[in-house]
Amino acid sequence: MHICHAHPSSDLREGGVVRYVFDLSEQLAQRGHDVSELTLDPPNADIVHPEQSQLVSHITSLSIGSNHALWLNKQQIARAKEKLSKASVLHIHGMWSPHMVHLAEIAIGMGIPYVVTVHGMLDEVCLRKGWLKKRVFMRLCGNRFLARAQRVITSSLGEQAQVRRWLREPNSIVLPPAMDLDAYIDLPNPDIAADRFDLDRRQCPVILFLSRLHPKKGIEHLIDAARILSDRGTHCTVVIAGTGDPAYEAALRKRVASCDLQDMIHFVGMVDGELKRSLYACATVFALPTSQENFGLVLTESCACGTPVITTRGVDIWQELSAAGAAVIVEQSGQGFADAICSMIADPKQSELMGQKGRDWVLNTFAIPTVLPQYEQMYSDIIGPNTQKAIKNACV
């Protein structure tokens, strides 16, 4: 089958949307499908990962430079129709682009079914940003855009609940991202990270935060938890891995200094590749006190490395994490995280069991051979003989 993916812009890279599209395209292409992409990025944009450029059959830019209209113009429509003429299904990524809504209308007019992956964009935290524009968008075209999609794809039960507030018909489904887990089968030695960052992991428990440094991640709560643990005499090391706005990082460091926790909390910057996996494996606990996270890839990465998780209900997959026995879900507060960290340090056997459950869950649930057939089945279902009738009804 021929799947055409569409996304508005690599400006969405921060939310992982473009990487999600590239990864899914690569995996589908490797399984023998024709895969193409439509983007509003300019033709010379650096949006293709070099190792994937040969796997995606073609990427078409709908950008025409200075055009700032909210709707596609004649030239863009012609390009889109040329690309869609070979497509079995259109897979749209994201919510807040009128151009993608217009693209969906074009597909319907051509008798091509479309699906939408919302990528966490209907979360209450997301909706509060520019809430008036988003409410107007939903009233004018967003609700219809979702209702006419053959499927609205979410990555978790939590996100599905968010989407269903906007849908009359239950056309939403949960399809998690497929993870390339080859690098997690044989994990690197934890001592690689321990030596690199001078961590005495056998004598001093390591509490790891690894993500973008951003206010929504709740790092302040982890610093507060470290202060509480220090006051209790609980000996541990908190590692904060990641980068962000320099002013925000400076504010975090100032907060650490004001609590006199420089010896306990260490900022180690960006960590990736084998060193990142070693750091996960080195950690006693992975802590993410976030206020909002659509999927939280760092959570499944941590679980894949056998490291138990403490996080909040701000993570859309908190129900799945909890059901798998892979995480402790607490309130977003220093006290909540301090108590959970204390409990996990005090019972290393239980923590080890939780880490093993999380690893088994990720390796069994998110592996490409497990997830990709679910996408293929979904595409096949909507390309079936009843689809044309459904599309005609949607046009009414």
Side-chain angles (χ1 to χ4, degrees):
M1 71 183 76
H2 186 127
I3 303 106
C4 181
H5 292 276
H7 58 91
S9 170
S10 58
D11 291 341
L12 293 171
R13 188 188 306 275
E14 182 178 294
V17 176
V18 173
R19 184 71 208 213
Y20 176 103
V21 175
F22 285 141
D23 286 347
L24 184 57
S25 295
E26 177 188 25
Q27 292 156 8
L28 288 167
Q30 286 180 338
R31 291 172 69 91
H33 300 286
D34 290 328
V35 183
S36 58
E37 294 182 23
L38 288 169
T39 176
L40 289 174
D41 279 301
N44 60 347
D46 182 19
I47 60 173
V48 182
H49 296 284
E51 69 274 16
Q52 296 172 324
S53 59
Q54 300 302 315
L55 292 172
V56 179
S57 61
H58 194 60
I59 295 178
T60 297
S61 171
L62 297 180
S63 171
I64 56 170
S66 61
N67 177 43
H68 298 293
L70 294 178
W71 220 236
L72 300 175
N73 61 29
K74 290 182 179 180
Q75 184 178 350
Q76 291 169 311
I77 292 172
R79 288 182 186 174
K81 285 185 174 181
E82 180 182 3
K83 178 60 62 175
L84 289 174
S85 65
K86 299 178 181 179
S88 309
V89 59
L90 171 65
H91 190 154
I92 296 175
H93 299 267
M95 268 300 302
W96 306 116
S97 170
H99 299 98
M100 294 297 104
V101 174
H102 193 180
L103 196 59
E105 296 288 335
I106 293 170
I108 286 178
M110 297 175 68
I112 299 167
Y114 74 90
V115 299
V116 179
T117 298
V118 294
H119 293 286
M121 296 182 187
L122 290 174
D123 180 272
E124 286 298 329
V125 175
C126 180
L127 287 171
R128 284 198 293 268
K129 298 176 183 178
W131 68 270
L132 182 57
K133 289 183 179 179
K134 289 175 179 177
R135 296 286 174 175
V136 171
F137 178 91
M138 291 303 293
R139 182 175 290 274
L140 291 179
C141 61
N143 286 313
R144 182 177 172 86
F145 172 60
L146 292 177
R148 299 173 84 182
Q150 293 296 309
R151 299 289 187 276
V152 178
I153 303 167
T154 64
S155 61
S156 65
L157 293 172
E159 186 181 23
Q160 186 179 50
Q162 298 161 13
V163 168
R164 284 184 170 175
R165 291 198 294 262
W166 301 91
L167 290 172
R168 292 181 180 179
E169 299 295 331
N171 65 338
S172 65
I173 59 172
V174 176
L175 283 181
M179 297 177 61
D180 185 352
L181 295 171
D182 288 349
Y184 294 89
I185 302 303
D186 295 314
L187 295 174
N189 193 322
D191 288 339
I192 297 174
D195 292 343
R196 173 70 174 272
F197 301 118
D198 194 23
L199 303 172
D200 186 4
R201 67 186 185 91
R202 293 176 179 84
Q203 299 297 322
C204 184
V206 176
I207 314 304
L208 174 63
F209 169 94
L210 191 156
S211 191
R212 182 166 53 103
L213 304 187
H214 187 276
K216 82 167 188 174
K217 304 291 183 177
I219 306 168
E220 294 85 354
H221 298 292
L222 187 56
I223 295 172
D224 290 345
R227 176 182 53 78
I228 294 169
L229 293 171
S230 179
D231 291 343
R232 292 178 182 176
T234 301
H235 191 47
C236 64
T237 299
V238 178
V239 175
I240 298 178
T243 59
D245 178 70
Y248 178 63
E249 183 174 345
L252 292 175
R253 290 177 180 271
K254 184 177 180 180
R255 189 183 185 107
V256 169
S258 68
C259 296
D260 195 24
L261 296 172
Q262 300 95 317
D263 292 338
M264 185 177 182
I265 300 178
H266 305 281
F267 291 82
V268 300
M270 178 67 72
V271 182
D272 208 350
E274 181 186 53
L275 182 60
K276 179 176 73 169
R277 295 190 297 275
S278 175
L279 185 56
Y280 279 128
C282 179
T284 309
V285 177
F286 181 80
L288 185 67
T290 185
S291 58
Q292 188 271 327
E293 207 79 30
N294 171 225
F295 184 78
L297 185 60
V298 291
L299 298 168
T300 49
E301 287 178 345
S302 177
C303 289
C305 293
T307 304
V309 167
I310 303 173
T311 191
T312 72
R313 293 194 179 198
V315 175
D316 288 344
I317 64 167
W318 73 267
Q319 295 176 76
E320 288 88 343
L321 284 164
S322 182
V328 175
I329 310 299
V330 301
E331 65 178 8
Q332 190 195 34
S333 69
Q335 187 70 56
F337 273 78
D339 290 344
I341 290 169
C342 272
S343 296
M344 297 180 79
I345 290 175
D347 193 348
K349 289 186 177 180
Q350 181 61 31
S351 296
E352 183 179 352
L353 177 62
M354 183 178 294
Q356 186 58 54
K357 286 182 177 179
R359 180 168 165 80
D360 292 342
W361 170 62
V362 169
L363 295 181
N364 291 328
T365 304
F366 299 100
I368 290 172
T370 301
V371 176
L372 258 292
Q374 298 176 48
Y375 278 88
E376 290 171 320
Q377 185 62 55
M378 181 267 297
Y379 291 137
S380 295
D381 288 345
I382 68 174
I383 295 170
N386 294 324
T387 300
Q388 291 295 328
K389 180 179 180 181
I391 293 174
K392 289 179 181 178
N393 290 338
C395 293
V396 177

